[in-house]
Amino acid sequence: KRGEEIMAAILGVLAKAFAFMGIIVLGYTLKKIHVFKPEDFYVLSKIVIRITLPCAIISNFSKISMDMSMLILCVIGIVCNLIYVGIGYGINQKRSGDAKAFDMLNLSGYNIGNFTMPFIQNFLGPVGFAATSLFDAGNSVMCTGLTFALASAAKGEGGRSSAGSMVKTLLSSLPFDCYMIMTVVAMFQIKLPEMVLSFASTAGGANAFLALFMIGIGFEIHADKEKLTEIVKILSIRYSIALAFSLIFYFLAPFSLEVRQTLAIVAFGPVSSVSPAFTGKLNGDVELSSAINSLQIMISVVLLTLALIVVL
């Protein structure tokens, strides 16, 4: 019976992952038949960054309680992102600011809420859910604002590299502001008005669809040797580091088995689905970013399933 339950859960997760891919394919197809135009990507990215993502943050964060003893997981989420960001900057020392910014945005971040969380919910229960939520709190501090600010500084346009302008860029990120506010709300157990939560839940519920649909509209990869080389480079680095993180979390982290299992699985999640939106905001290669994002979703389906089989 246990085997049947595990198989049913895996099939459920795979069904959800294929649904994600279906939304991306839908966006790409509607672009190809001219229902949407490539420039519509930027309209959707504004909706995601300024409306649905902040609402999703408010809605999801209001459902978890902050266990102060587990806040170290928030720090781990930040550190994992910083390592990727540092690598993205370091491997482009002799290249342009555009190259640095692109790799910093597209190597780092985790798509937790829309992708990894269903895996955790099906297999690891409340402890796994709480651990993933706290890791995502730190992760989201990075991928909703701080990574963008660092990438803006690395790009170095118009004096953006100054500390003051970097802080200004960070604070101008509405998703980042929402995370900071909701962290305070959770720590002090402040109850938000039901009307606010209802609105946030409704608007936030559209975030996964719009973020994935946006990736489909942005997706376009030509048989360009330089772009294919960039894709292989980023995917190789991303999953090599993910494997190292997973092994460290599972064998060396000073947590309970369930938390270690959770972190070992979370490590293989794909890059944040809003990375293409932030790439577009910095006038980066949206098509390449969308291609990398789409491929990571497919790869992570396989790796997360394998990780579940190994650690459980």
Tab-separated table of all heavy atoms in Angstrom, residues 77 79-85 87-88 91 102-112 115-116 135-136 139 142-143 147 230-246 249 265-273 275 292-293 295-297 299-300 303-304:
chain	number	residue	atom	x	y	z
A	77	GLY	N	18.665	30.047	2.788
A	77	GLY	CA	18.095	30.430	1.498
A	77	GLY	C	18.819	31.605	0.872
A	77	GLY	O	19.059	31.638	-0.340
A	79	VAL	N	22.018	32.536	1.592
A	79	VAL	CA	23.395	32.135	1.297
A	79	VAL	C	23.482	31.339	-0.002
A	79	VAL	O	24.378	31.560	-0.825
A	79	VAL	CB	23.997	31.326	2.466
A	79	VAL	CG1	25.327	30.696	2.072
A	79	VAL	CG2	24.181	32.227	3.694
A	80	CYS	N	22.547	30.412	-0.209
A	80	CYS	CA	22.545	29.617	-1.450
A	80	CYS	C	22.442	30.530	-2.668
A	80	CYS	O	23.145	30.340	-3.673
A	80	CYS	CB	21.383	28.631	-1.448
A	80	CYS	SG	21.598	27.239	-0.320
A	81	ASN	N	21.579	31.535	-2.576
A	81	ASN	CA	21.441	32.491	-3.671
A	81	ASN	C	22.715	33.294	-3.876
A	81	ASN	O	23.157	33.507	-5.018
A	81	ASN	CB	20.271	33.439	-3.388
A	81	ASN	CG	18.942	32.897	-3.848
A	81	ASN	OD1	18.485	33.176	-4.943
A	81	ASN	ND2	18.312	32.099	-2.998
A	82	LEU	N	23.314	33.742	-2.775
A	82	LEU	CA	24.526	34.557	-2.878
A	82	LEU	C	25.671	33.783	-3.523
A	82	LEU	O	26.482	34.354	-4.262
A	82	LEU	CB	24.944	35.053	-1.486
A	82	LEU	CG	24.107	36.200	-0.911
A	82	LEU	CD1	24.525	36.471	0.540
A	82	LEU	CD2	24.261	37.470	-1.755
A	83	ILE	N	25.733	32.484	-3.250
A	83	ILE	CA	26.775	31.657	-3.876
A	83	ILE	C	26.589	31.630	-5.388
A	83	ILE	O	27.538	31.824	-6.159
A	83	ILE	CB	26.761	30.235	-3.289
A	83	ILE	CG1	27.279	30.272	-1.840
A	83	ILE	CG2	27.617	29.279	-4.126
A	83	ILE	CD1	27.117	28.967	-1.086
A	84	TYR	N	25.354	31.410	-5.826
A	84	TYR	CA	25.081	31.421	-7.269
A	84	TYR	C	25.371	32.794	-7.880
A	84	TYR	O	25.941	32.895	-8.971
A	84	TYR	CB	23.619	31.044	-7.539
A	84	TYR	CG	23.335	29.567	-7.502
A	84	TYR	CD1	22.412	29.035	-6.592
A	84	TYR	CD2	23.942	28.692	-8.391
A	84	TYR	CE1	22.125	27.677	-6.570
A	84	TYR	CE2	23.655	27.328	-8.375
A	84	TYR	CZ	22.750	26.837	-7.461
A	84	TYR	OH	22.463	25.486	-7.440
A	85	VAL	N	24.948	33.856	-7.186
A	85	VAL	CA	25.176	35.214	-7.681
A	85	VAL	C	26.678	35.489	-7.799
A	85	VAL	O	27.149	36.045	-8.797
A	85	VAL	CB	24.508	36.257	-6.752
A	85	VAL	CG1	24.970	37.671	-7.094
A	85	VAL	CG2	22.993	36.171	-6.859
A	87	ILE	N	29.069	33.289	-8.186
A	87	ILE	CA	29.615	32.505	-9.305
A	87	ILE	C	29.274	33.180	-10.637
A	87	ILE	O	30.112	33.288	-11.533
A	87	ILE	CB	29.074	31.063	-9.273
A	87	ILE	CG1	29.665	30.318	-8.072
A	87	ILE	CG2	29.409	30.322	-10.567
A	87	ILE	CD1	29.041	28.963	-7.826
A	88	GLY	N	28.021	33.657	-10.753
A	88	GLY	CA	27.607	34.339	-11.978
A	88	GLY	C	28.454	35.557	-12.269
A	88	GLY	O	28.780	35.838	-13.437
A	91	ILE	N	32.512	34.212	-12.951
A	91	ILE	CA	32.875	33.558	-14.211
A	91	ILE	C	32.851	34.532	-15.391
A	91	ILE	O	33.217	34.162	-16.514
A	91	ILE	CB	31.955	32.355	-14.524
A	91	ILE	CG1	30.496	32.809	-14.663
A	91	ILE	CG2	32.097	31.278	-13.468
A	91	ILE	CD1	29.540	31.686	-15.040
A	102	PHE	N	23.374	39.127	-16.515
A	102	PHE	CA	22.552	38.025	-17.027
A	102	PHE	C	22.795	36.749	-16.233
A	102	PHE	O	21.843	36.084	-15.794
A	102	PHE	CB	22.850	37.770	-18.509
A	102	PHE	CG	21.991	36.692	-19.111
A	102	PHE	CD1	20.760	37.014	-19.677
A	102	PHE	CD2	22.391	35.351	-19.092
A	102	PHE	CE1	19.942	36.015	-20.205
A	102	PHE	CE2	21.583	34.359	-19.618
A	102	PHE	CZ	20.356	34.691	-20.187
A	103	ASP	N	24.054	36.390	-16.029
A	103	ASP	CA	24.355	35.145	-15.316
A	103	ASP	C	23.969	35.230	-13.839
A	103	ASP	O	23.530	34.239	-13.242
A	103	ASP	CB	25.842	34.805	-15.451
A	103	ASP	CG	26.162	34.171	-16.798
A	103	ASP	OD1	25.266	34.162	-17.669
A	103	ASP	OD2	27.293	33.706	-17.002
A	104	MET	N	24.119	36.399	-13.247
A	104	MET	CA	23.722	36.563	-11.846
A	104	MET	C	22.216	36.330	-11.672
A	104	MET	O	21.779	35.702	-10.703
A	104	MET	CB	24.101	37.964	-11.355
A	104	MET	CG	25.607	38.167	-11.211
A	104	MET	SD	26.079	39.910	-11.052
A	104	MET	CE	25.536	40.258	-9.375
A	105	LEU	N	21.425	36.813	-12.634
A	105	LEU	CA	19.972	36.660	-12.552
A	105	LEU	C	19.506	35.259	-12.915
A	105	LEU	O	18.530	34.757	-12.346
A	105	LEU	CB	19.293	37.673	-13.486
A	105	LEU	CG	19.268	39.133	-13.031
A	105	LEU	CD1	18.790	40.030	-14.162
A	105	LEU	CD2	18.383	39.308	-11.804
A	106	ASN	N	20.190	34.617	-13.852
A	106	ASN	CA	19.686	33.354	-14.394
A	106	ASN	C	20.352	32.110	-13.829
A	106	ASN	O	19.944	30.989	-14.138
A	106	ASN	CB	19.787	33.380	-15.915
A	106	ASN	CG	18.797	34.351	-16.532
A	106	ASN	OD1	17.630	34.047	-16.688
A	106	ASN	ND2	19.260	35.548	-16.857
A	107	LEU	N	21.373	32.297	-12.997
A	107	LEU	CA	21.946	31.173	-12.263
A	107	LEU	C	21.303	31.013	-10.895
A	107	LEU	O	21.222	29.915	-10.358
A	107	LEU	CB	23.454	31.387	-12.064
A	107	LEU	CG	24.416	30.714	-13.035
A	107	LEU	CD1	25.849	31.127	-12.711
A	107	LEU	CD2	24.274	29.210	-13.005
A	108	SER	N	20.828	32.119	-10.324
A	108	SER	CA	20.385	32.110	-8.928
A	108	SER	C	18.868	32.085	-8.797
A	108	SER	O	18.142	32.276	-9.766
A	108	SER	CB	20.933	33.347	-8.208
A	108	SER	OG	20.370	34.518	-8.776
A	109	GLY	N	18.415	31.862	-7.564
A	109	GLY	CA	16.993	31.868	-7.258
A	109	GLY	C	16.361	30.493	-7.392
A	109	GLY	O	16.849	29.633	-8.128
A	110	TYR	N	15.273	30.285	-6.670
A	110	TYR	CA	14.544	29.011	-6.694
A	110	TYR	C	13.056	29.269	-6.903
A	110	TYR	O	12.483	30.162	-6.270
A	110	TYR	CB	14.720	28.263	-5.374
A	110	TYR	CG	16.118	27.779	-5.108
A	110	TYR	CD1	17.047	28.605	-4.477
A	110	TYR	CD2	16.522	26.505	-5.483
A	110	TYR	CE1	18.343	28.168	-4.215
A	110	TYR	CE2	17.808	26.056	-5.221
A	110	TYR	CZ	18.712	26.892	-4.598
A	110	TYR	OH	19.990	26.453	-4.343
A	111	ASN	N	12.445	28.500	-7.773
A	111	ASN	CA	10.997	28.559	-7.966
A	111	ASN	C	10.356	27.615	-6.947
A	111	ASN	O	10.065	26.463	-7.251
A	111	ASN	CB	10.646	28.146	-9.399
A	111	ASN	CG	9.167	28.315	-9.705
A	111	ASN	OD1	8.366	28.555	-8.817
A	111	ASN	ND2	8.812	28.180	-10.963
A	112	ILE	N	10.174	28.105	-5.733
A	112	ILE	CA	9.701	27.258	-4.626
A	112	ILE	C	8.180	27.119	-4.640
A	112	ILE	O	7.636	26.030	-4.767
A	112	ILE	CB	10.152	27.838	-3.266
A	112	ILE	CG1	11.676	27.952	-3.196
A	112	ILE	CG2	9.617	26.974	-2.127
A	112	ILE	CD1	12.407	26.657	-3.092
A	115	PHE	N	6.618	25.582	-7.908
A	115	PHE	CA	7.156	24.335	-8.452
A	115	PHE	C	7.530	23.314	-7.376
A	115	PHE	O	7.001	22.210	-7.338
A	115	PHE	CB	8.382	24.624	-9.329
A	115	PHE	CG	8.901	23.418	-10.053
A	115	PHE	CD1	8.416	23.098	-11.302
A	115	PHE	CD2	9.855	22.596	-9.484
A	115	PHE	CE1	8.871	21.969	-11.988
A	115	PHE	CE2	10.315	21.465	-10.136
A	115	PHE	CZ	9.825	21.152	-11.396
A	116	THR	N	8.443	23.691	-6.482
A	116	THR	CA	8.987	22.723	-5.537
A	116	THR	C	8.002	22.353	-4.423
A	116	THR	O	7.972	21.207	-3.967
A	116	THR	CB	10.288	23.253	-4.905
A	116	THR	OG1	11.172	23.663	-5.951
A	116	THR	CG2	10.965	22.200	-4.055
A	135	PHE	N	12.924	28.501	4.095
A	135	PHE	CA	13.989	28.596	3.089
A	135	PHE	C	13.562	29.568	1.994
A	135	PHE	O	14.353	30.405	1.532
A	135	PHE	CB	14.265	27.216	2.493
A	135	PHE	CG	15.331	27.203	1.429
A	135	PHE	CD1	16.658	26.948	1.753
A	135	PHE	CD2	15.009	27.434	0.097
A	135	PHE	CE1	17.646	26.935	0.775
A	135	PHE	CE2	15.982	27.426	-0.886
A	135	PHE	CZ	17.302	27.174	-0.552
A	136	ASP	N	12.287	29.484	1.586
A	136	ASP	CA	11.781	30.350	0.523
A	136	ASP	C	11.737	31.809	0.944
A	136	ASP	O	11.852	32.708	0.107
A	136	ASP	CB	10.385	29.877	0.097
A	136	ASP	CG	9.909	30.567	-1.176
A	136	ASP	OD1	10.758	30.880	-2.035
A	136	ASP	OD2	8.693	30.784	-1.321
A	139	ASN	N	15.174	32.878	0.246
A	139	ASN	CA	15.330	32.828	-1.208
A	139	ASN	C	14.634	34.016	-1.868
A	139	ASN	O	15.187	34.654	-2.772
A	139	ASN	CB	14.721	31.512	-1.709
A	139	ASN	CG	14.494	31.483	-3.199
A	139	ASN	OD1	15.425	31.567	-3.985
A	139	ASN	ND2	13.233	31.380	-3.601
A	142	MET	N	16.158	37.427	-1.935
A	142	MET	CA	17.137	37.566	-3.017
A	142	MET	C	16.460	37.729	-4.373
A	142	MET	O	16.670	38.723	-5.062
A	142	MET	CB	18.060	36.348	-3.047
A	142	MET	CG	18.953	36.214	-1.844
A	142	MET	SD	20.158	37.545	-1.681
A	142	MET	CE	21.116	37.354	-3.178
A	143	CYS	N	15.613	36.758	-4.751
A	143	CYS	CA	15.138	36.751	-6.138
A	143	CYS	C	14.013	37.743	-6.401
A	143	CYS	O	13.634	37.945	-7.554
A	143	CYS	CB	14.753	35.345	-6.586
A	143	CYS	SG	13.385	34.598	-5.714
A	147	THR	N	18.965	40.277	-5.593
A	147	THR	CA	19.742	39.819	-6.746
A	147	THR	C	19.637	40.827	-7.886
A	147	THR	O	20.628	41.126	-8.565
A	147	THR	CB	19.244	38.439	-7.234
A	147	THR	OG1	19.435	37.491	-6.187
A	147	THR	CG2	20.017	37.982	-8.461
A	230	GLU	N	26.003	29.145	-23.960
A	230	GLU	CA	25.596	29.822	-22.722
A	230	GLU	C	24.595	28.974	-21.944
A	230	GLU	O	24.674	28.852	-20.719
A	230	GLU	CB	24.985	31.189	-23.051
A	230	GLU	CG	24.571	32.009	-21.840
A	230	GLU	CD	25.739	32.568	-21.040
A	230	GLU	OE1	26.885	32.552	-21.539
A	230	GLU	OE2	25.500	33.027	-19.902
A	231	ILE	N	23.652	28.356	-22.656
A	231	ILE	CA	22.658	27.496	-22.006
A	231	ILE	C	23.325	26.313	-21.319
A	231	ILE	O	23.047	26.004	-20.150
A	231	ILE	CB	21.616	26.996	-23.033
A	231	ILE	CG1	20.702	28.136	-23.459
A	231	ILE	CG2	20.774	25.860	-22.442
A	231	ILE	CD1	19.751	27.778	-24.588
A	232	VAL	N	24.216	25.642	-22.054
A	232	VAL	CA	24.922	24.475	-21.494
A	232	VAL	C	25.749	24.889	-20.286
A	232	VAL	O	25.776	24.197	-19.260
A	232	VAL	CB	25.811	23.811	-22.567
A	232	VAL	CG1	26.695	22.738	-21.938
A	232	VAL	CG2	24.955	23.206	-23.669
A	233	LYS	N	26.410	26.036	-20.387
A	233	LYS	CA	27.242	26.527	-19.277
A	233	LYS	C	26.405	26.767	-18.022
A	233	LYS	O	26.736	26.272	-16.936
A	233	LYS	CB	27.936	27.832	-19.695
A	233	LYS	CG	28.826	28.429	-18.605
A	233	LYS	CD	29.234	29.863	-18.925
A	233	LYS	CE	28.101	30.831	-18.682
A	233	LYS	NZ	28.509	32.252	-18.878
A	234	ILE	N	25.297	27.479	-18.176
A	234	ILE	CA	24.476	27.816	-17.014
A	234	ILE	C	23.831	26.566	-16.414
A	234	ILE	O	23.817	26.395	-15.186
A	234	ILE	CB	23.403	28.858	-17.398
A	234	ILE	CG1	24.076	30.227	-17.565
A	234	ILE	CG2	22.298	28.928	-16.342
A	234	ILE	CD1	23.136	31.363	-17.837
A	235	LEU	N	23.312	25.684	-17.254
A	235	LEU	CA	22.691	24.464	-16.731
A	235	LEU	C	23.708	23.569	-16.034
A	235	LEU	O	23.415	22.983	-14.982
A	235	LEU	CB	22.007	23.693	-17.859
A	235	LEU	CG	20.789	24.358	-18.504
A	235	LEU	CD1	20.233	23.486	-19.622
A	235	LEU	CD2	19.711	24.648	-17.476
A	236	SER	N	24.906	23.470	-16.588
A	236	SER	CA	25.959	22.638	-15.985
A	236	SER	C	26.358	23.172	-14.617
A	236	SER	O	26.475	22.414	-13.640
A	236	SER	CB	27.183	22.582	-16.903
A	236	SER	OG	26.861	22.012	-18.144
A	237	ILE	N	26.569	24.479	-14.536
A	237	ILE	CA	26.961	25.094	-13.254
A	237	ILE	C	25.837	24.970	-12.244
A	237	ILE	O	26.047	24.589	-11.090
A	237	ILE	CB	27.354	26.572	-13.462
A	237	ILE	CG1	28.622	26.682	-14.299
A	237	ILE	CG2	27.542	27.270	-12.105
A	237	ILE	CD1	28.966	28.104	-14.707
A	238	ARG	N	24.624	25.303	-12.677
A	238	ARG	CA	23.474	25.291	-11.769
A	238	ARG	C	23.294	23.927	-11.111
A	238	ARG	O	23.162	23.828	-9.878
A	238	ARG	CB	22.211	25.661	-12.564
A	238	ARG	CG	20.906	25.493	-11.797
A	238	ARG	CD	20.635	26.617	-10.851
A	238	ARG	NE	19.420	26.373	-10.081
A	238	ARG	CZ	18.828	27.276	-9.319
A	238	ARG	NH1	19.328	28.479	-9.233
A	238	ARG	NH2	17.743	26.991	-8.640
A	239	TYR	N	23.304	22.866	-11.901
A	239	TYR	CA	22.999	21.547	-11.337
A	239	TYR	C	24.205	20.884	-10.685
A	239	TYR	O	24.036	20.015	-9.826
A	239	TYR	CB	22.343	20.663	-12.395
A	239	TYR	CG	20.922	21.121	-12.670
A	239	TYR	CD1	20.581	21.773	-13.850
A	239	TYR	CD2	19.937	20.954	-11.707
A	239	TYR	CE1	19.287	22.222	-14.072
A	239	TYR	CE2	18.639	21.400	-11.918
A	239	TYR	CZ	18.323	22.040	-13.095
A	239	TYR	OH	17.040	22.492	-13.290
A	240	SER	N	25.412	21.291	-11.045
A	240	SER	CA	26.597	20.803	-10.324
A	240	SER	C	26.593	21.352	-8.900
A	240	SER	O	26.826	20.613	-7.929
A	240	SER	CB	27.876	21.234	-11.041
A	240	SER	OG	27.977	20.633	-12.307
A	241	ILE	N	26.309	22.646	-8.776
A	241	ILE	CA	26.228	23.272	-7.451
A	241	ILE	C	25.033	22.708	-6.682
A	241	ILE	O	25.114	22.483	-5.466
A	241	ILE	CB	26.112	24.806	-7.569
A	241	ILE	CG1	27.323	25.384	-8.306
A	241	ILE	CG2	25.989	25.441	-6.188
A	241	ILE	CD1	28.646	25.129	-7.641
A	242	ALA	N	23.913	22.476	-7.367
A	242	ALA	CA	22.724	21.914	-6.711
A	242	ALA	C	23.033	20.550	-6.099
A	242	ALA	O	22.610	20.253	-4.974
A	242	ALA	CB	21.580	21.787	-7.720
A	243	LEU	N	23.777	19.725	-6.821
A	243	LEU	CA	24.157	18.407	-6.299
A	243	LEU	C	25.025	18.555	-5.051
A	243	LEU	O	24.818	17.844	-4.053
A	243	LEU	CB	24.908	17.610	-7.372
A	243	LEU	CG	25.440	16.235	-6.949
A	243	LEU	CD1	24.296	15.330	-6.493
A	243	LEU	CD2	26.219	15.584	-8.086
A	244	ALA	N	25.969	19.491	-5.093
A	244	ALA	CA	26.837	19.726	-3.926
A	244	ALA	C	26.013	20.197	-2.730
A	244	ALA	O	26.185	19.697	-1.609
A	244	ALA	CB	27.904	20.765	-4.282
A	245	PHE	N	25.090	21.148	-2.958
A	245	PHE	CA	24.210	21.621	-1.883
A	245	PHE	C	23.401	20.470	-1.296
A	245	PHE	O	23.281	20.333	-0.071
A	245	PHE	CB	23.241	22.683	-2.417
A	245	PHE	CG	23.832	24.053	-2.582
A	245	PHE	CD1	23.215	24.993	-3.404
A	245	PHE	CD2	24.988	24.424	-1.927
A	245	PHE	CE1	23.733	26.253	-3.553
A	245	PHE	CE2	25.526	25.692	-2.073
A	245	PHE	CZ	24.893	26.614	-2.894
A	246	SER	N	22.839	19.647	-2.165
A	246	SER	CA	21.978	18.552	-1.718
A	246	SER	C	22.738	17.577	-0.823
A	246	SER	O	22.233	17.162	0.231
A	246	SER	CB	21.409	17.816	-2.940
A	246	SER	OG	20.494	16.822	-2.545
A	249	PHE	N	23.516	19.319	2.563
A	249	PHE	CA	22.314	19.412	3.393
A	249	PHE	C	21.954	18.060	4.019
A	249	PHE	O	21.635	17.972	5.203
A	249	PHE	CB	21.126	19.908	2.558
A	249	PHE	CG	21.212	21.341	2.147
A	249	PHE	CD1	20.667	21.774	0.938
A	249	PHE	CD2	21.824	22.286	2.962
A	249	PHE	CE1	20.739	23.097	0.560
A	249	PHE	CE2	21.899	23.622	2.595
A	249	PHE	CZ	21.357	24.021	1.382
A	265	ILE	N	16.080	18.026	-1.280
A	265	ILE	CA	15.178	18.040	-2.434
A	265	ILE	C	15.051	19.452	-3.015
A	265	ILE	O	15.126	19.654	-4.232
A	265	ILE	CB	13.791	17.498	-2.026
A	265	ILE	CG1	13.898	16.012	-1.683
A	265	ILE	CG2	12.762	17.717	-3.123
A	265	ILE	CD1	12.699	15.460	-0.949
A	266	VAL	N	14.887	20.440	-2.135
A	266	VAL	CA	14.735	21.834	-2.565
A	266	VAL	C	15.923	22.295	-3.416
A	266	VAL	O	15.763	23.089	-4.351
A	266	VAL	CB	14.571	22.750	-1.331
A	266	VAL	CG1	14.743	24.220	-1.707
A	266	VAL	CG2	13.201	22.534	-0.692
A	267	ALA	N	17.106	21.777	-3.119
A	267	ALA	CA	18.323	22.186	-3.837
A	267	ALA	C	18.223	21.992	-5.342
A	267	ALA	O	18.880	22.706	-6.116
A	267	ALA	CB	19.528	21.416	-3.293
A	268	PHE	N	17.403	21.035	-5.787
A	268	PHE	CA	17.296	20.731	-7.220
A	268	PHE	C	16.182	21.502	-7.916
A	268	PHE	O	15.904	21.265	-9.099
A	268	PHE	CB	17.081	19.229	-7.424
A	268	PHE	CG	18.300	18.408	-7.134
A	268	PHE	CD1	18.345	17.588	-6.007
A	268	PHE	CD2	19.416	18.457	-7.953
A	268	PHE	CE1	19.474	16.818	-5.731
A	268	PHE	CE2	20.543	17.700	-7.685
A	268	PHE	CZ	20.572	16.877	-6.566
A	269	GLY	N	15.542	22.419	-7.206
A	269	GLY	CA	14.472	23.199	-7.831
A	269	GLY	C	14.994	24.093	-8.946
A	269	GLY	O	16.170	24.460	-8.966
A	270	PRO	N	14.114	24.449	-9.893
A	270	PRO	CA	14.540	25.313	-11.003
A	270	PRO	C	14.682	26.761	-10.573
A	270	PRO	O	14.217	27.153	-9.500
A	270	PRO	CB	13.396	25.150	-12.015
A	270	PRO	CG	12.200	24.886	-11.158
A	270	PRO	CD	12.696	24.077	-9.990
A	271	VAL	N	15.312	27.546	-11.414
A	271	VAL	CA	15.501	28.969	-11.142
A	271	VAL	C	14.137	29.654	-11.056
A	271	VAL	O	13.146	29.177	-11.607
A	271	VAL	CB	16.381	29.601	-12.258
A	271	VAL	CG1	15.615	29.671	-13.561
A	271	VAL	CG2	16.893	30.969	-11.861
A	272	SER	N	14.078	30.776	-10.372
A	272	SER	CA	12.829	31.509	-10.184
A	272	SER	C	12.164	31.854	-11.516
A	272	SER	O	12.825	32.261	-12.472
A	272	SER	CB	13.102	32.808	-9.411
A	272	SER	OG	11.965	33.647	-9.424
A	273	SER	N	10.838	31.697	-11.569
A	273	SER	CA	10.105	31.961	-12.815
A	273	SER	C	10.045	33.440	-13.164
A	273	SER	O	9.634	33.799	-14.275
A	273	SER	CB	8.679	31.397	-12.717
A	273	SER	OG	7.985	31.969	-11.620
A	275	SER	N	12.785	35.326	-13.143
A	275	SER	CA	14.112	35.726	-13.657
A	275	SER	C	14.037	36.355	-15.044
A	275	SER	O	14.702	37.368	-15.301
A	275	SER	CB	15.064	34.524	-13.674
A	275	SER	OG	15.367	34.108	-12.366
A	292	ILE	N	16.333	29.091	-20.865
A	292	ILE	CA	17.000	28.496	-19.704
A	292	ILE	C	15.978	28.116	-18.647
A	292	ILE	O	16.022	27.032	-18.063
A	292	ILE	CB	18.048	29.472	-19.132
A	292	ILE	CG1	19.231	29.606	-20.100
A	292	ILE	CG2	18.539	29.021	-17.752
A	292	ILE	CD1	20.177	30.734	-19.772
A	293	ASN	N	15.017	29.006	-18.417
A	293	ASN	CA	13.985	28.756	-17.412
A	293	ASN	C	13.142	27.545	-17.776
A	293	ASN	O	12.858	26.672	-16.940
A	293	ASN	CB	13.096	30.005	-17.289
A	293	ASN	CG	12.488	30.158	-15.918
A	293	ASN	OD1	11.680	29.341	-15.526
A	293	ASN	ND2	12.871	31.196	-15.196
A	295	LEU	N	13.919	25.006	-19.787
A	295	LEU	CA	14.715	23.776	-19.723
A	295	LEU	C	14.934	23.333	-18.277
A	295	LEU	O	14.912	22.139	-17.976
A	295	LEU	CB	16.062	23.990	-20.422
A	295	LEU	CG	15.992	24.098	-21.957
A	295	LEU	CD1	17.331	24.576	-22.520
A	295	LEU	CD2	15.605	22.764	-22.571
A	296	GLN	N	15.115	24.304	-17.376
A	296	GLN	CA	15.309	23.944	-15.970
A	296	GLN	C	14.070	23.290	-15.376
A	296	GLN	O	14.174	22.400	-14.532
A	296	GLN	CB	15.705	25.189	-15.157
A	296	GLN	CG	17.139	25.611	-15.384
A	296	GLN	CD	17.697	26.394	-14.213
A	296	GLN	OE1	17.304	26.212	-13.067
A	296	GLN	NE2	18.643	27.268	-14.501
A	297	ILE	N	12.899	23.729	-15.793
A	297	ILE	CA	11.672	23.101	-15.296
A	297	ILE	C	11.645	21.627	-15.676
A	297	ILE	O	11.353	20.749	-14.851
A	297	ILE	CB	10.426	23.839	-15.844
A	297	ILE	CG1	10.297	25.207	-15.168
A	297	ILE	CG2	9.153	23.013	-15.612
A	297	ILE	CD1	9.196	26.082	-15.734
A	299	ILE	N	14.243	19.665	-16.513
A	299	ILE	CA	15.329	18.941	-15.842
A	299	ILE	C	14.995	18.717	-14.366
A	299	ILE	O	15.216	17.637	-13.818
A	299	ILE	CB	16.661	19.714	-15.984
A	299	ILE	CG1	17.097	19.739	-17.461
A	299	ILE	CG2	17.748	19.082	-15.120
A	299	ILE	CD1	18.248	20.679	-17.739
A	300	SER	N	14.434	19.736	-13.733
A	300	SER	CA	14.138	19.634	-12.299
A	300	SER	C	13.036	18.618	-12.005
A	300	SER	O	13.020	18.023	-10.928
A	300	SER	CB	13.762	21.011	-11.736
A	300	SER	OG	14.907	21.840	-11.659
A	303	LEU	N	15.069	15.460	-11.753
A	303	LEU	CA	15.997	15.426	-10.621
A	303	LEU	C	15.280	15.430	-9.271
A	303	LEU	O	15.708	14.744	-8.338
A	303	LEU	CB	16.977	16.593	-10.710
A	303	LEU	CG	17.939	16.564	-11.901
A	303	LEU	CD1	18.880	17.763	-11.868
A	303	LEU	CD2	18.740	15.272	-11.906
A	304	LEU	N	14.181	16.206	-9.155
A	304	LEU	CA	13.429	16.212	-7.903
A	304	LEU	C	12.794	14.853	-7.637
A	304	LEU	O	12.778	14.380	-6.496
A	304	LEU	CB	12.341	17.285	-7.948
A	304	LEU	CG	12.792	18.722	-7.637
A	304	LEU	CD1	11.706	19.710	-7.994
A	304	LEU	CD2	13.170	18.871	-6.183
